[in-house]
């Protein structure tokens, strides 16, 4: 009976989380469509008009996201479409990363709703580089958590892909890579680990040549 009640409770939490994130996403879509661009967003939109492997002071990920969204919905909504989506997905990834048997969905959502930075940036609707870099950082840490428990070439490859996406989003992503490694230098004993820096370097070559 306790097991059935636990499963039923978990299913209710999943349903509520889905409803919350869907509502969050829809509200931010509405804000995206009816709120004028701030000057930074207009600046990045200009980048998206001429796709390249890099720009004066930013890597190209945000420009690519804006270009993709704008091709679907010309206007403010298109500029913010994919950052709005990534912002919502970040909340889901972080919840899964922090999940424990005694987790409290309600506490997590209360914290999310109480932090203005999360509302306006990480889980918000602005078309700024912070959103993709935080999303890819969250995915990177979630994969890294799995990699710690499983020495897998596939996980190492995925970590390299996501690590490169972090750097293509914002140069600050290097801090996540640096401190993640130095928090556990013994991970370098794994042969598969060395795929990560090598592949990240190879993935970044187009930007480096640029």
């Amino acid at each position: 009976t306790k097991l059935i009640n636990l499963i039923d409770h978990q299913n209710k939490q999943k349903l509520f989380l889905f409803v919350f994130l869907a509502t969050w996403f829809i509200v931010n879509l509405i804000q995206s469509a009816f709120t004028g661009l701030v000057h930074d967003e207009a600046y990045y939109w200009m980048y998206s008009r001429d796709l390249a492997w890099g720009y004066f002071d930013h890597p190209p990920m945000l420009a690519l996201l804006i270009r993709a969204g704008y091709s679907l919905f010309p206007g403010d909504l298109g500029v913010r479409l994919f950052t709005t989506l990534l912002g919502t997905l970040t909340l889901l990834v972080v919840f899964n990363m922090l999940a424990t048997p005694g987790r409290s969905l309600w506490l997590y959502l209360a914290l999310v709703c109480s932090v203005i930075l999360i509302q306006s940036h990480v889980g918000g609707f602005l078309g700024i580089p912070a959103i993709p870099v935080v999303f890819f950082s969250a995915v990177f840490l979630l994969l890294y958590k799995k990699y710690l428990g499983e020495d897998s070439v596939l996980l190492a490859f995925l970590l390299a892909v996501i690590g490169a996406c972090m750097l293509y989003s914002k140069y600050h992503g290097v801090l996540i890579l640096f401190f993640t490694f130095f928090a556990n230098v013994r991970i370098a004993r794994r042969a598969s680990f060395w795929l990560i820096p090598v592949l990240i370097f190879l993935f970044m070559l187009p930007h480096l040549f640029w």
Side-chain angles (χ1 to χ4, degrees), residues 103-125:
R103 68 189 180 185
S104 173
L105 172 63
W106 323 116
L107 176 60
Y108 174 73
L109 296 182
L111 290 173
V112 166
C113 293
S114 66
V115 179
I116 296 177
L117 178 63
I118 293 179
Q119 295 178 47
S120 62
H121 289 74
V122 178
F125 61 93

Side-chain angles (χ1 to χ4, degrees), residues 4-120:
I4 293 175
N5 290 336
L6 177 61
I7 294 174
D8 185 55
H9 177 69
Q10 290 176 342
N11 288 335
K12 287 181 179 178
Q13 282 200 338
K14 289 179 181 178
L15 177 61
F16 187 84
L17 179 62
F18 172 79
V19 171
F20 175 86
L21 293 178
T23 303
W24 183 285
F25 179 65
I26 292 171
V27 169
N28 281 326
L29 279 183
I30 295 172
Q31 291 185 99
S32 297
F34 295 102
T35 304
L37 300 181
V38 300
H39 59 279
D40 280 358
E41 292 177 294
Y43 179 55
Y44 302 133
W45 175 80
M46 291 296 295
Y47 281 168
S48 73
R49 297 297 85 200
D50 184 18
L51 291 181
W53 284 105
Y55 299 93
F56 171 68
D57 55 356
H58 281 82
M61 179 63 74
L62 182 60
L64 181 61
L65 293 175
I66 292 176
R67 179 66 170 268
Y70 199 80
S71 65
L72 295 174
F73 301 101
D76 295 347
L77 175 60
V79 172
R80 295 163 168 157
L81 177 63
F82 283 101
T83 52
T84 299
L85 176 61
L86 293 185
T88 304
L89 290 176
T90 298
L91 300 180
L92 177 61
V93 173
V94 171
F95 178 72
N96 286 323
M97 182 169 55
L98 300 178
T100 61
R103 68 189 180 185
S104 173
L105 172 63
W106 323 116
L107 176 60
Y108 174 73
L109 296 182
L111 290 173
V112 166
C113 293
S114 66
V115 179
I116 296 177
L117 178 63
I118 293 179
Q119 295 178 47
S120 62

Side-chain angles (χ1 to χ4, degrees), residues 34 140 149 188 204:
F34 295 102
F140 181 87
M204 294 301 298

Side-chain angles (χ1 to χ4, degrees), residues 187-207:
I187 202 73
R189 296 175 182 175
R190 296 184 180 182
S192 62
F193 166 81
W194 293 100
L195 283 174
I196 300 172
V198 170
L199 288 176
I200 287 178
F201 174 76
L202 293 177
F203 292 147
M204 294 301 298
L205 280 178
H207 182 65

